Amino acid sequence: MSNQWKAVCSVADIPVLGARVVKRATQPDVAIFRNSEDAVFALLDRCPHRGGPLSQGIVFGERVACPLHNWSIELGSGCAVAPDEGCTQKFSVKVEDGQVYLDVAELNATVDEAA
């Protein structure tokens, strides 16, 4: 994690129990999630199973269910809940004054560099 943060949206822009997508020019998208307690999480928008778009999944508690095969992914770690296995990349998130920030170095890193 670097000390450079990029504002990507406000918390209010993310639907409760939903997600918003941050597009990146040369890398896969990042999904930003908001749960019912207004906690905000960011993961690569790919399920570790078959690459399903997690941003289109259902958020419950601190997990998201992949829309393709219903795998549950922990929003805090990006890892699948047992008995499933695998992780997707998580991103550092900072929320300040209602604004959501992502780490610039993580956003600019390739998937392999950031994992």
Side-chain angles (χ1 to χ4, degrees), residues 33 41-44 46-55 57-67 69-82 84-90:
F33 301 92
F41 307 88
L43 299 175
L44 192 69
R46 279 194 196 160
C47 178
H49 177 223
R50 298 247 171 135
L54 294 175
S55 60
I58 297 171
V59 175
F60 58 101
E62 292 193 358
R63 295 178 180 170
V64 61
C66 176
H69 299 98
N70 205 32
W71 276 34
S72 290
I73 310 300
E74 294 280 356
L75 293 170
S77 68
C79 292
V81 175
D84 298 321
E85 296 179 348
C87 296
T88 194
Q89 180 184 347
K90 72 172 191 164

Side-chain angles (χ1 to χ4, degrees), residues 33-46:
F33 301 92
R34 177 180 173 192
N35 73 5
S36 61
E37 297 175 357
D38 286 336
V40 177
F41 307 88
L43 299 175
L44 192 69
D45 195 15
R46 279 194 196 160

